[in-house]
Amino acid sequence: VWMLTGDNAATAAAVARSVGTEHVMAQVLPDQKAGSVRALQRDGHVVAMAGDGINDAPALARAGLGIAIGTGTDVAIAASGITLVGGDLRGIVSAIALSRRTVSTIKQGLFWAFAYNALLIPVAAGALYFAGGILLDPILASAAMAMSSFSVVTNALRLRSFRRPGSVQEIMHPPLRARLGRYVYLAGVGVLALALGTAFTVLSRTDAAQRGMNGVLAWTQSTGMPMRPAMSTMMTTDIGPASAEDAKVSVRLDLPAPVRPGVPARMVIDVADSETGAPLDDIGLSHEVWMHLIVTRDDLGSFAHLPPEPTGEPGRFAVGVTFPSAGSYQVNTEFRRRGHINDIHASEQIVIGGPAAAGRAALSPGPRTQTVEGVRVELEGRARAGATSDLSFSFTDAATGRPVDDLRPYLAAAGHVVIMGAEGGFAHEHAEVEDGHGNAVFALPGQRFGPELDVHAHFGSPGLYRLWGQFRLADGR
């Protein structure tokens, strides 16, 4: 600290002794004050100059930081960067300490603002995809944006509690408690941000968040279900599947030899362009699975609905299958190419454990009511040949007779119904539900169905048909 004054040496020395200043220059002119500042700067010092008079203005303008006394002249104030509102020179200590805290707060704000966003770059790259398919969705992005703003603003507002340090040492080297307090606060905000981001991510996957227009759109995209162009109606398409021959697609089934009845085997399904032989690499989801594979015995006495999974090779899928007994089996596959609104259907006959049966075994009509898993299921409605038949399933608790109205979605539908005839034919339908206004009720996560479900079936010709209905109970069975 230097004291430069125009007063005589005796007065200057007395004041310097009272305040503890060793460096004193007395009886100096205004240009000499500015020259002293310049000399200190040449020696590598950063100089702050405080003054209140006209004769201090040149030095105030020359210094790296000019500090004017608020009770001084307008010229001194105009030449300075900081003005002390009162005449207390201890305000200089407060200004320097506050400026250091402010710059530190700015650096902390920049770090945390970038940290929240930089933290999500790996998330966007798929670092958390293994944990339930978490990607950078709007929920995480909005949480990061909100928490970065929250941390920056609240950390800056902590400057309102600033108090002048008691010593220079406290300015140069803040106490450990003060430093820890700042970092603990920022770490706490960071933990809160991670907690909120996690909570928002969990909430975004709840039943309530999946509803509404955005929820329906996200759900249809994740399940592979097509939508009508008129999104205002939000009705699923009801276009029937195209045959593999019409779609110019070949489907080949491979099984290890020999396949023994009752022993699990791995079936490989290859899908290719029938004209070029090139494997199809554009198979997309259809009702939450890549492919529906339905295996029935020739006498329609057994049924399995299996979801083959990609093997990593283009157009190749695989699934484990068990044939309950020797005989001839019909394998129906349904899948969808990306960008298409209808499925592709292929059918192939395979023989397990012996020669194929000469023909289908004779079928007899079965009961319209069955009890499965403690639920009494009844098929109602009149079946007509050559026209659409409106049928319905009703569900009641077999023990209490109470209607079962808490069925859950199964493979993105209220239920799946497979229809096959004794003389051939195959259909894979979905149970439907309408609300009180006649609008379709989507099988969104958390949606409940029952005690009745409708299905619209088409029987091409008179004869016997077998129906398999698949539905999911509230406990997941």
Side-chain angles (χ1 to χ4, degrees):
V1 177
W2 286 71
M3 186 174 72
L4 311 178
T5 176
D7 291 332
N8 60 63
T11 302
V15 174
R17 281 194 302 273
S18 66
V19 299
T21 300
E22 300 178 3
H23 307 288
V24 182
M25 294 182 64
Q27 297 176 325
V28 294
L29 299 175
D31 61 335
Q32 292 176 318
K33 291 185 179 181
S36 298
V37 171
R38 189 180 300 110
L40 289 171
Q41 290 173 332
R42 280 199 301 265
D43 292 339
H45 295 289
V46 177
V47 181
M49 169 70 184
D52 66 346
I54 297 175
N55 58 345
D56 295 320
L60 289 170
R62 176 66 192 178
L65 174 63
I67 304 173
I69 308 301
T71 56
T73 62
D74 292 339
V75 174
I77 294 174
S80 303
I82 292 179
T83 299
L84 302 180
V85 176
D88 190 350
L89 290 180
R90 289 177 298 179
I92 298 174
V93 178
S94 299
I96 293 174
L98 181 58
S99 70
R100 287 174 177 264
R101 280 283 305 276
T102 302
V103 171
S104 176
T105 301
I106 290 172
K107 292 178 180 178
Q108 292 167 354
L110 286 173
F111 170 80
W112 284 102
F114 281 109
Y116 286 118
N117 293 278
L119 184 65
L120 292 184
I121 292 177
V123 178
L128 297 181
Y129 188 75
F130 68 92
I134 297 178
L135 294 172
L136 183 58
D137 57 33
I139 296 295
L140 285 177
S142 61
M145 193 69 246
M147 291 312 300
S148 65
S149 299
F150 177 81
S151 62
V152 170
V153 173
T154 56
N155 192 42
L157 288 174
R158 296 173 71 229
L159 292 172
R160 294 169 62 90
S161 62
F162 171 80
R163 296 292 182 270
R164 181 172 60 227
S167 65
V168 174
Q169 182 67 20
E170 191 174 337
I171 298 177
M172 302 298 293
H173 304 286
L176 178 62
R177 184 177 65 179
R179 296 199 303 271
L180 285 178
R182 299 172 198 171
Y183 295 127
V184 167
Y185 173 80
L186 291 172
V189 174
V191 171
L192 176 62
L194 290 175
L196 287 177
T198 302
F200 288 156
T201 301
V202 172
L203 289 174
S204 70
R205 296 172 178 238
T206 60
D207 297 342
Q210 298 292 334
R211 301 179 186 277
M213 177 67 76
N214 291 336
V216 171
L217 292 175
W219 172 75
T220 55
Q221 182 181 21
S222 66
T223 60
M225 290 185 62
M227 305 296 294
R228 289 192 189 276
M231 297 304 294
S232 60
T233 61
M234 297 303 297
M235 293 290 287
T236 56
T237 60
D238 51 7
I239 299 176
S243 67
E245 182 179 1
D246 292 339
K248 294 181 172 54
V249 171
S250 67
V251 179
R252 184 167 58 89
L253 308 178
D254 284 329
L255 280 168
V259 176
R260 292 181 295 170
V263 178
R266 183 174 185 265
M267 178 182 289
V268 177
I269 305 99
D270 287 300
V271 185
D273 187 302
S274 60
E275 295 182 340
T276 65
L280 296 186
D281 57 1
D282 61 348
I283 304 299
L285 289 171
S286 174
H287 281 270
E288 295 184 344
V289 297
W290 298 99
M291 180 179 290
H292 297 266
L293 188 141
I294 298 168
V295 183
T296 54
R297 201 167 53 205
D298 199 47
D299 61 358
L300 303 185
S302 69
F303 170 84
H305 182 183
L306 307 173
E309 292 290 333
T311 63
E313 301 179 51
R316 174 164 289 185
F317 300 81
V319 67
V321 58
T322 300
F323 299 94
S325 62
S328 179
Y329 289 82
Q330 183 176 348
V331 180
N332 290 279
T333 54
E334 278 191 332
F335 54 90
R336 181 178 302 154
R337 304 183 69 172
R338 286 194 295 270
H340 294 235
I341 62 175
N342 62 327
D343 289 337
I344 297 174
H345 170 244
S347 181
E348 185 170 334
Q349 203 80 11
I350 60 175
V351 178
I352 301 299
R360 292 179 183 267
L363 296 180
S364 60
R368 286 290 192 103
T369 302
Q370 295 183 22
T371 298
V372 184
E373 298 286 349
V375 178
R376 183 174 181 269
V377 186
E378 184 173 358
L379 178 63
E380 302 172 338
R382 180 186 175 190
R384 297 178 298 172
T388 300
S389 300
D390 297 325
L391 307 177
S392 66
F393 290 90
S394 63
F395 305 85
T396 55
D397 188 298
T400 65
R402 181 186 61 84
V404 176
D405 58 1
D406 58 355
L407 297 174
R408 299 302 172 90
Y410 174 65
L411 296 182
H416 287 250
V417 179
V418 173
I419 305 171
M420 298 186 68
E423 302 303 324
F426 169 84
H428 180 188
E429 308 290 351
H430 302 108
E432 299 179 1
V433 180
E434 294 183 350
D435 59 19
H437 302 287
N439 299 319
V441 177
F442 285 87
L444 291 170
Q447 183 67 266
R448 297 185 177 187
F449 300 104
E452 294 186 353
L453 293 177
D454 297 330
V455 62
H456 305 295
H458 185 82
F459 304 99
S461 60
L464 286 172
Y465 293 82
R466 176 153 287 171
L467 280 70
W468 289 274
Q470 293 179 296
F471 311 94
R472 175 163 288 160
L473 298 177
D475 60 6
R477 292 178 295 160

